[in-house]
Amino acid sequence: MTQIDWPALRAAARAAMERAYAPYSGFPVGAAALTDDGRVVTGCNVENASYGLGLCAECGLVSALYGGAAGAARAARPRLVAVVVVDRHGAALMPCGRCRQVLWEHGGPGMLLETVRGVRSMAEVLPDAFGAGDLTDRA
Ligand code: THU
């Protein structure tokens, strides 16, 4: 099991937040994750003049998980082990509901998240989640 360096993840999330494109909300967000193949992937929110099309930081992070610069070297099905999402002050920010679902897909119930109430598992922040198993069980 890879050791989780929470301060390093927090710093990476903060650095990503500095790169956010959030001219409409004025609310920059950064996210960073440790993967099971030992990488740190990051994302920031990227808004759009068509407001509803804005991308949350976690979406950028998951995109980097698969398509990032280290793409060729990564595991075929990389998994998220630990995630930190921060606001402009570097304080922990709870992922929105949609992003909890996005993170669940790639981290599962055991993925750890630094929350406003300390480190918690995805199973705790998204109880009774819908997931891939629900599709196959009903096929
Ligand atoms: N935002 C994120 O990037 N992640 C979240 O989990 C919560 C919200 C962004 C979306 C929007 O660009 C801004 O924060 C204000 O909602």
Side-chain angles (χ1 to χ4, degrees):
M1 173 66 194
T2 320
Q3 198 64 31
I4 300 167
D5 186 346
W6 290 104
L9 280 183
R10 229 171 283 134
R14 199 171 183 146
M17 178 275 296
E18 299 287 352
R19 300 191 291 271
Y21 175 70
Y24 304 107
S25 69
F27 192 82
V29 178
L34 173 67
T35 69
D36 67 345
D37 53 1
R39 291 178 294 145
V40 172
V41 292
T42 62
C44 59
N45 54 337
V46 179
E47 298 184 344
N48 194 284
S50 182
Y51 296 166
L53 300 183
L55 305 173
C56 281
E58 296 89 331
C59 295
L61 180 148
V62 167
S63 182
L65 176 69
Y66 278 86
R74 66 165 165 72
R77 281 284 172 95
R79 301 289 289 168
L80 299 172
V81 172
V83 172
V84 176
V85 184
V86 299
D87 66 12
R88 72 159 67 249
H89 306 292
L93 187 71
M94 295 307 292
C96 72
R98 178 179 185 274
C99 287
R100 291 182 203 197
Q101 183 70 33
V102 169
L103 293 173
W104 178 277
E105 180 79 19
H106 304 284
M111 192 206 90
L112 298 176
L113 179 71
E114 183 166 70
T115 77
V116 293
R117 290 195 278 156
V119 175
R120 299 168 79 194
S121 69
M122 278 306 294
E124 290 176 287
V125 300
L126 192 65
D128 304 319
F130 173 82
D134 291 296
L135 299 175
T136 52
D137 287 350
R138 286 165 172 74

